[in-house]
Amino acid sequence: MLDPKILRKETKKVRLSLEKRASDFDLDSYLEIDQKMRDLISNVEQLRSSKNNISKSIASPNISENEKSDLISEVGMINKKLKESEQSLNDLSEQTKKMSLEIPNILDESVPEGSSEEDNIEVRSWGKLPKFDFEPRDHSELGESNGGIDFESAAKLSGSRFVVMKDGYARLHRALKQFMLDVQTEENGYTEMYVPNIVRSDCLEGTGQLPKFADDQYKIENEEGLYLIPTAEVPLTNLIRESILEENELPIKMTAHTPCFRQEAGSYGKDTKGMIRQHQFEKVELVHIVKPNESYEALEELTKNAESILQKLNLPYRLMLLCSGDTGFSAAKTYDLEVWLPSQETYREISSCSNCESFQSRRMKARYKNSESKQTDYPHSLNGSGLAIGRTLIAVLENYQNEDGSVTIPDVLRPYMQNRERI
């Protein structure tokens, strides 16, 4: 949610950001309704003031009965107008609130203009691409050839875009999440959290998944207003909702491992083969809550924390600055980490690291006490994957595969795998 004052006073800036995003949000309609609401508020205040003045006159001992009767009639007319105006005000207030939840965040000036991922800019790359003396296979072929990955059984259980893993593959998946949590908590300074996997609708609204992306969410039908989480970003960030933090509590750095559930309603036909795009997957999430003047420094830190996992696993990757058309609804600026997949001979996204500035904290009504202004202010929130576990598993399988179909375990994961060298 954007500051209404910015929408009114910096309309040009907001309009340029909307155009940069190619957003279809109707800013003119919003401003028109907002102006009507403010005019009506002024009118209601005048009516209430008139009513109070007349009520004082009625109570005067010097007023005649005829004058008193006329004034009582006038109060009655004012009450009627007030009732109508207050109802109109409630209607307009609901309209502006609904529309304000549909406005995407204002893009940071450093975000390049573009319409799709083709326009994203490579910031840097890391690692050497592996060379094979054989034709590398993709993760599906590797897993299905030795029974480590079973899509057929998953389809019997749940339908398409689910997976069953077995033995070494399941253990490697578990090893990755334990390794990621250990690095983030022991080396990068995050507090590990355990959070619910089911949240209320206002939590999804707070971080921006609702109402805009309702079709991507898994709603629990027999429980009013409850949803499966699409990412741990939602419960982690909402831990500060409707609260006022002390300034010395910031920055807050949290991490959590959770399953994630997404219908992927807008991705029909994309990556239907294998584990790239699943309805259920697991992720280690990173969330920062910081003072506004520290958020872009925090974005660089958060991104490096996510990169550290790939570097320790010795997986080649590149860092991309997303263009305006590829930047998410709630984000002001986003970096994507893309890991190398030999079977596709390309880099694929494995983490998105975003600065949402005050966009989410306004929606959540989360504030902190600013010692300089002596006022309460909205903190900035950031989030990123550190990392998506399924996609990291894919990258390990493909980059560490051997000609016989086995996979060499990266050195840093062997302590989590009972020191096994291969699966």
Side-chain angles (χ1 to χ4, degrees), residues 378-398:
Y378 292 98
H380 284 192
S381 61
L382 303 94
N383 63 80
S385 304
L387 303 163
I389 296 167
R391 292 193 178 189
T392 308
L393 175 69
I394 291 170
V396 169
L397 294 175
E398 294 200 7

Side-chain angles (χ1 to χ4, degrees), residues 164-226:
V164 169
M165 287 180 281
K166 181 181 176 181
D167 194 25
Y169 279 64
R171 182 180 286 273
L172 180 57
H173 187 270
R174 174 159 58 93
L176 281 166
K177 62 188 175 187
Q178 291 177 312
F179 165 68
M180 291 176 189
L181 285 170
D182 285 349
V183 171
Q184 301 303 349
T185 55
E186 295 172 13
E187 298 183 23
N188 294 335
Y190 289 82
T191 299
E192 183 174 352
M193 309 293 290
Y194 174 84
V195 291
N197 299 329
I198 296 173
V199 293
R200 292 162 35 187
S201 58
D202 54 2
C203 291
L204 287 161
E205 185 179 288
T207 45
Q209 282 81 11
L210 288 180
K212 183 75 172 176
F213 305 105
D215 290 344
D216 283 333
Q217 312 308 319
Y218 276 105
K219 186 174 184 179
I220 299 175
E221 297 205 359
N222 63 339
E223 291 283 350
E224 184 66 30
L226 290 180

